[in-house]
Each structure stands twice: as structure tokens, then as C-alpha cells.
Short mmCIF file of all heavy atoms in Angstrom, two decimals:
data_model
loop_
_atom_site.label_atom_id
_atom_site.label_comp_id
_atom_site.label_asym_id
_atom_site.label_seq_id
_atom_site.Cartn_x
_atom_site.Cartn_y
_atom_site.Cartn_z
N SER A 1250 -5.14 -5.95 -3.60
CA SER A 1250 -6.19 -6.88 -4.03
C SER A 1250 -7.06 -7.14 -2.82
O SER A 1250 -6.60 -7.53 -1.77
CB SER A 1250 -5.54 -8.18 -4.55
OG SER A 1250 -4.85 -8.83 -3.50
N GLY A 1251 -8.29 -6.90 -2.98
CA GLY A 1251 -9.20 -7.16 -1.88
C GLY A 1251 -9.46 -5.87 -1.12
O GLY A 1251 -8.68 -4.94 -1.16
N LEU A 1252 -10.55 -5.85 -0.36
CA LEU A 1252 -10.99 -4.68 0.35
C LEU A 1252 -10.03 -4.27 1.46
O LEU A 1252 -9.74 -3.04 1.66
CB LEU A 1252 -12.36 -4.89 0.91
CG LEU A 1252 -13.03 -3.70 1.58
CD1 LEU A 1252 -13.17 -2.55 0.57
CD2 LEU A 1252 -14.40 -4.08 2.18
N THR A 1253 -9.48 -5.26 2.20
CA THR A 1253 -8.56 -4.93 3.30
C THR A 1253 -7.35 -4.22 2.82
O THR A 1253 -6.96 -3.19 3.36
CB THR A 1253 -8.17 -6.22 4.02
OG1 THR A 1253 -9.41 -6.85 4.47
CG2 THR A 1253 -7.35 -5.91 5.28
N ASP A 1254 -6.68 -4.77 1.77
CA ASP A 1254 -5.50 -4.13 1.23
C ASP A 1254 -5.84 -2.77 0.67
O ASP A 1254 -5.05 -1.79 0.77
CB ASP A 1254 -4.89 -4.97 0.12
CG ASP A 1254 -4.15 -6.20 0.69
OD1 ASP A 1254 -3.88 -6.18 1.97
OD2 ASP A 1254 -3.84 -7.11 -0.08
N LEU A 1255 -6.93 -2.60 -0.01
CA LEU A 1255 -7.31 -1.31 -0.57
C LEU A 1255 -7.53 -0.23 0.57
O LEU A 1255 -7.07 0.84 0.38
CB LEU A 1255 -8.69 -1.47 -1.38
CG LEU A 1255 -9.05 -0.28 -2.21
CD1 LEU A 1255 -7.98 0.09 -3.21
CD2 LEU A 1255 -10.32 -0.55 -2.96
N LEU A 1256 -8.16 -0.68 1.63
CA LEU A 1256 -8.34 0.27 2.74
C LEU A 1256 -7.00 0.66 3.36
O LEU A 1256 -6.80 1.82 3.74
CB LEU A 1256 -9.27 -0.36 3.81
CG LEU A 1256 -10.73 -0.44 3.42
CD1 LEU A 1256 -11.52 -1.17 4.48
CD2 LEU A 1256 -11.34 0.94 3.18
N LYS A 1257 -6.10 -0.34 3.57
CA LYS A 1257 -4.75 0.01 4.08
C LYS A 1257 -4.02 1.00 3.22
O LYS A 1257 -3.40 1.95 3.69
CB LYS A 1257 -3.90 -1.30 4.24
CG LYS A 1257 -4.23 -2.16 5.42
CD LYS A 1257 -3.28 -3.30 5.46
CE LYS A 1257 -3.57 -4.28 6.53
NZ LYS A 1257 -2.68 -5.43 6.49
N THR A 1258 -4.06 0.78 1.89
CA THR A 1258 -3.43 1.65 0.96
C THR A 1258 -4.04 3.05 1.00
O THR A 1258 -3.33 4.07 1.03
CB THR A 1258 -3.51 1.12 -0.47
OG1 THR A 1258 -2.96 -0.26 -0.42
CG2 THR A 1258 -2.72 1.97 -1.44
N GLY A 1259 -5.41 3.13 1.09
CA GLY A 1259 -6.06 4.43 1.17
C GLY A 1259 -5.81 5.16 2.41
O GLY A 1259 -5.53 6.40 2.44
N PHE A 1260 -5.78 4.51 3.58
CA PHE A 1260 -5.51 5.13 4.87
C PHE A 1260 -4.05 5.54 5.04
O PHE A 1260 -3.75 6.43 5.82
CB PHE A 1260 -5.88 4.23 6.04
CG PHE A 1260 -7.37 4.23 6.29
CD1 PHE A 1260 -8.07 3.01 6.27
CD2 PHE A 1260 -8.06 5.32 6.61
CE1 PHE A 1260 -9.45 3.00 6.48
CE2 PHE A 1260 -9.37 5.35 6.85
CZ PHE A 1260 -10.09 4.15 6.80
N SER A 1261 -3.15 4.93 4.22
CA SER A 1261 -1.78 5.29 4.34
C SER A 1261 -1.49 6.68 3.92
O SER A 1261 -0.47 7.30 4.25
CB SER A 1261 -0.89 4.31 3.54
OG SER A 1261 -1.12 4.48 2.15
N MET A 1262 -2.40 7.30 3.16
CA MET A 1262 -2.21 8.71 2.79
C MET A 1262 -2.47 9.66 3.93
O MET A 1262 -1.89 10.71 4.03
CB MET A 1262 -3.23 9.07 1.69
CG MET A 1262 -2.92 8.47 0.31
SD MET A 1262 -3.97 9.07 -0.97
CE MET A 1262 -5.27 7.83 -0.93
N PHE A 1263 -3.30 9.22 4.91
CA PHE A 1263 -3.59 10.06 6.04
C PHE A 1263 -2.99 9.67 7.37
O PHE A 1263 -2.72 10.49 8.19
CB PHE A 1263 -5.13 10.05 6.30
CG PHE A 1263 -5.92 10.38 5.09
CD1 PHE A 1263 -6.62 9.40 4.40
CD2 PHE A 1263 -5.93 11.70 4.63
CE1 PHE A 1263 -7.34 9.75 3.28
CE2 PHE A 1263 -6.64 11.98 3.42
CZ PHE A 1263 -7.37 11.06 2.77
N MET A 1264 -2.60 8.39 7.48
CA MET A 1264 -2.02 7.87 8.75
C MET A 1264 -0.82 7.07 8.44
O MET A 1264 -0.54 6.71 7.28
CB MET A 1264 -3.05 6.99 9.47
CG MET A 1264 -4.34 7.66 9.79
SD MET A 1264 -5.71 6.55 10.25
CE MET A 1264 -4.97 5.45 11.32
N LYS A 1265 -0.01 6.82 9.43
CA LYS A 1265 1.16 5.99 9.28
C LYS A 1265 0.71 4.54 9.33
O LYS A 1265 0.61 3.87 10.35
CB LYS A 1265 2.21 6.27 10.40
CG LYS A 1265 3.43 5.47 10.33
CD LYS A 1265 4.22 5.74 9.08
CE LYS A 1265 5.50 4.89 9.05
NZ LYS A 1265 5.94 4.63 7.77
N VAL A 1266 0.43 3.99 8.15
CA VAL A 1266 0.04 2.58 7.96
C VAL A 1266 1.11 1.92 7.09
O VAL A 1266 1.36 2.44 6.01
CB VAL A 1266 -1.32 2.48 7.35
CG1 VAL A 1266 -1.69 1.04 7.09
CG2 VAL A 1266 -2.36 3.18 8.23
N ASN A 1267 1.65 0.86 7.54
CA ASN A 1267 2.65 0.12 6.74
C ASN A 1267 1.93 -0.50 5.53
O ASN A 1267 0.93 -1.13 5.70
CB ASN A 1267 3.31 -0.93 7.53
CG ASN A 1267 4.34 -0.30 8.56
OD1 ASN A 1267 4.69 0.82 8.39
ND2 ASN A 1267 4.63 -1.08 9.57
N ARG A 1268 2.54 -0.32 4.39
CA ARG A 1268 2.05 -0.97 3.23
C ARG A 1268 2.28 -2.47 3.32
O ARG A 1268 3.28 -2.90 3.98
CB ARG A 1268 2.70 -0.46 1.97
CG ARG A 1268 2.42 0.98 1.64
CD ARG A 1268 3.09 1.44 0.34
NE ARG A 1268 4.52 1.15 0.41
CZ ARG A 1268 5.29 1.09 -0.65
NH1 ARG A 1268 4.85 1.36 -1.86
NH2 ARG A 1268 6.57 0.86 -0.50
N PRO A 1269 1.49 -3.29 2.74
CA PRO A 1269 1.73 -4.74 2.74
C PRO A 1269 3.08 -5.01 2.08
O PRO A 1269 3.46 -4.42 1.11
CB PRO A 1269 0.59 -5.34 1.99
CG PRO A 1269 -0.46 -4.27 1.94
CD PRO A 1269 0.26 -2.97 2.03
N HIS A 1270 3.80 -6.02 2.66
CA HIS A 1270 5.09 -6.39 2.14
C HIS A 1270 4.88 -7.65 1.32
O HIS A 1270 4.05 -8.52 1.63
CB HIS A 1270 6.04 -6.70 3.29
CG HIS A 1270 7.44 -6.90 2.91
ND1 HIS A 1270 7.89 -8.07 2.38
CD2 HIS A 1270 8.49 -6.07 2.89
CE1 HIS A 1270 9.21 -7.92 2.10
NE2 HIS A 1270 9.58 -6.73 2.40
N PRO A 1271 5.55 -7.76 0.13
CA PRO A 1271 5.32 -8.97 -0.69
C PRO A 1271 5.60 -10.30 0.04
O PRO A 1271 4.95 -11.32 -0.29
CB PRO A 1271 6.36 -8.81 -1.82
CG PRO A 1271 6.65 -7.38 -1.88
CD PRO A 1271 6.45 -6.86 -0.47
N GLY A 1272 6.44 -10.31 1.02
CA GLY A 1272 6.76 -11.48 1.77
C GLY A 1272 5.69 -11.87 2.80
O GLY A 1272 5.75 -12.97 3.36
N ASP A 1273 4.62 -11.02 2.95
CA ASP A 1273 3.54 -11.32 3.86
C ASP A 1273 2.64 -12.37 3.31
O ASP A 1273 1.95 -13.06 4.09
CB ASP A 1273 2.70 -10.08 4.09
CG ASP A 1273 3.41 -8.99 4.89
OD1 ASP A 1273 4.43 -9.35 5.58
OD2 ASP A 1273 2.99 -7.84 4.84
N HIS A 1274 2.67 -12.63 2.07
CA HIS A 1274 1.73 -13.52 1.44
C HIS A 1274 2.32 -14.91 1.34
O HIS A 1274 3.52 -15.08 1.12
CB HIS A 1274 1.29 -12.98 0.07
CG HIS A 1274 0.70 -11.65 0.15
ND1 HIS A 1274 -0.59 -11.47 0.55
CD2 HIS A 1274 1.24 -10.45 -0.07
CE1 HIS A 1274 -0.85 -10.18 0.51
NE2 HIS A 1274 0.19 -9.48 0.20
N PRO A 1275 1.51 -15.99 1.44
CA PRO A 1275 1.97 -17.36 1.34
C PRO A 1275 2.31 -17.76 -0.12
O PRO A 1275 2.92 -18.75 -0.36
CB PRO A 1275 0.83 -18.19 1.90
CG PRO A 1275 -0.40 -17.37 1.71
CD PRO A 1275 0.04 -15.93 1.78
N LEU A 1276 1.88 -17.00 -1.07
CA LEU A 1276 2.13 -17.26 -2.47
C LEU A 1276 2.70 -16.01 -3.14
O LEU A 1276 2.13 -14.94 -3.09
CB LEU A 1276 0.80 -17.66 -3.22
CG LEU A 1276 0.97 -17.84 -4.71
CD1 LEU A 1276 1.83 -19.00 -5.06
CD2 LEU A 1276 -0.41 -18.10 -5.32
N VAL A 1277 3.86 -16.11 -3.81
CA VAL A 1277 4.48 -15.05 -4.57
C VAL A 1277 4.67 -15.54 -5.96
O VAL A 1277 5.22 -16.59 -6.22
CB VAL A 1277 5.84 -14.68 -3.91
CG1 VAL A 1277 6.54 -13.58 -4.67
CG2 VAL A 1277 5.70 -14.22 -2.42
N ILE A 1278 4.20 -14.69 -6.87
CA ILE A 1278 4.35 -15.00 -8.29
C ILE A 1278 5.36 -14.03 -8.93
O ILE A 1278 5.18 -12.80 -8.81
CB ILE A 1278 3.02 -14.96 -9.05
CG1 ILE A 1278 2.06 -15.93 -8.44
CG2 ILE A 1278 3.21 -15.21 -10.54
CD1 ILE A 1278 0.62 -15.85 -8.90
N ILE A 1279 6.38 -14.56 -9.57
CA ILE A 1279 7.44 -13.70 -10.20
C ILE A 1279 7.37 -14.04 -11.71
O ILE A 1279 7.46 -15.25 -12.07
CB ILE A 1279 8.85 -14.00 -9.69
CG1 ILE A 1279 8.88 -13.66 -8.19
CG2 ILE A 1279 9.87 -13.19 -10.46
CD1 ILE A 1279 10.14 -14.12 -7.51
N PHE A 1280 7.23 -13.01 -12.54
CA PHE A 1280 7.24 -13.24 -13.98
C PHE A 1280 8.43 -12.54 -14.58
O PHE A 1280 8.62 -11.30 -14.43
CB PHE A 1280 5.96 -12.68 -14.67
CG PHE A 1280 5.87 -12.94 -16.08
CD1 PHE A 1280 5.37 -14.20 -16.51
CD2 PHE A 1280 6.33 -12.11 -17.04
CE1 PHE A 1280 5.34 -14.52 -17.92
CE2 PHE A 1280 6.32 -12.40 -18.40
CZ PHE A 1280 5.76 -13.60 -18.80
N MET A 1281 9.27 -13.27 -15.23
CA MET A 1281 10.55 -12.74 -15.83
C MET A 1281 10.31 -12.49 -17.31
O MET A 1281 10.23 -13.51 -18.04
CB MET A 1281 11.75 -13.68 -15.61
CG MET A 1281 12.08 -13.84 -14.14
SD MET A 1281 12.75 -12.35 -13.42
CE MET A 1281 14.28 -12.11 -14.33
N VAL A 1282 10.28 -11.25 -17.75
CA VAL A 1282 10.15 -10.98 -19.16
C VAL A 1282 11.57 -11.21 -19.80
O VAL A 1282 12.53 -10.69 -19.25
CB VAL A 1282 9.66 -9.54 -19.41
CG1 VAL A 1282 9.70 -9.14 -20.87
CG2 VAL A 1282 8.28 -9.36 -18.79
N GLY A 1283 11.60 -11.90 -20.85
CA GLY A 1283 12.93 -12.07 -21.53
C GLY A 1283 13.56 -13.41 -21.26
O GLY A 1283 14.48 -13.81 -21.95
N GLY A 1284 13.05 -14.13 -20.29
CA GLY A 1284 13.56 -15.48 -20.06
C GLY A 1284 14.20 -15.69 -18.68
O GLY A 1284 14.62 -14.70 -18.01
N VAL A 1285 14.16 -16.94 -18.28
CA VAL A 1285 14.74 -17.37 -17.06
C VAL A 1285 15.43 -18.70 -17.29
O VAL A 1285 14.99 -19.51 -18.10
CB VAL A 1285 13.75 -17.40 -15.93
CG1 VAL A 1285 12.70 -18.54 -16.12
CG2 VAL A 1285 14.35 -17.59 -14.60
N SER A 1286 16.57 -18.93 -16.63
CA SER A 1286 17.27 -20.21 -16.77
C SER A 1286 16.85 -21.15 -15.66
O SER A 1286 16.36 -20.75 -14.60
CB SER A 1286 18.77 -19.98 -16.80
OG SER A 1286 19.22 -19.57 -15.50
N VAL A 1287 17.15 -22.45 -15.85
CA VAL A 1287 16.81 -23.44 -14.89
C VAL A 1287 17.63 -23.21 -13.58
O VAL A 1287 17.09 -23.32 -12.49
CB VAL A 1287 17.12 -24.88 -15.45
CG1 VAL A 1287 16.96 -25.92 -14.35
CG2 VAL A 1287 16.19 -25.17 -16.58
N SER A 1288 18.87 -22.72 -13.72
CA SER A 1288 19.69 -22.48 -12.55
C SER A 1288 19.04 -21.30 -11.75
O SER A 1288 19.16 -21.29 -10.47
CB SER A 1288 21.12 -22.18 -12.90
OG SER A 1288 21.27 -21.08 -13.77
N GLU A 1289 18.48 -20.29 -12.44
CA GLU A 1289 17.87 -19.17 -11.71
C GLU A 1289 16.64 -19.67 -10.91
O GLU A 1289 16.37 -19.24 -9.82
CB GLU A 1289 17.48 -18.05 -12.69
CG GLU A 1289 18.71 -17.31 -13.26
CD GLU A 1289 18.31 -16.29 -14.26
OE1 GLU A 1289 17.50 -16.67 -15.20
OE2 GLU A 1289 18.79 -15.20 -14.16
N VAL A 1290 15.86 -20.57 -11.51
CA VAL A 1290 14.66 -21.05 -10.84
C VAL A 1290 15.10 -21.90 -9.58
O VAL A 1290 14.53 -21.74 -8.52
CB VAL A 1290 13.80 -21.93 -11.79
CG1 VAL A 1290 12.72 -22.61 -11.05
CG2 VAL A 1290 13.30 -21.06 -12.94
N LYS A 1291 16.14 -22.66 -9.73
CA LYS A 1291 16.69 -23.47 -8.58
C LYS A 1291 17.19 -22.49 -7.49
O LYS A 1291 16.98 -22.73 -6.29
CB LYS A 1291 17.77 -24.37 -9.03
CG LYS A 1291 18.33 -25.21 -7.81
CD LYS A 1291 19.25 -26.27 -8.26
CE LYS A 1291 19.82 -27.12 -7.11
NZ LYS A 1291 19.52 -26.79 -5.78
#
């Protein structure tokens, strides 16, 4: 998402560029298809 990430992904085909890690971002969104319990959210 965004130009910087797109360039990193594109250059990774030609050079050794680490892909962005999901933990790099200050906001992570997880969507559970089929349901989630309150204890799982905790």
C-alpha cells in the first residue's frame, strides 16, 4: 500500500530487499472468517 511499499516489492525481484513485515506497522487488522470468541480476542 503506497508508493514506497510498491517500490520495495518491485525492487525485490532484482535486488535483495526485505519485504515489509506485518509487525512493522503500528496498526494490524486481523479478520477472522467464521467467528472469533471473546477469549481469543483477549
Side-chain angles (χ1 to χ4, degrees):
S1250 64
L1252 185 59
T1253 306
D1254 285 345
L1255 188 58
L1256 288 173
K1257 282 183 184 177
T1258 306
F1260 282 122
S1261 67
M1262 288 187 267
F1263 306 108
M1264 303 166 44
K1265 178 64 178 153
V1266 176
N1267 289 339
R1268 293 183 306 164
H1270 191 278
D1273 291 342
H1274 302 282
L1276 174 65
V1277 177
I1278 300 173
I1279 298 172
F1280 187 84
M1281 295 293 293
V1282 175
V1285 67
S1286 68
V1287 173
S1288 62
E1289 289 174 314
V1290 173
K1291 181 173 179 354

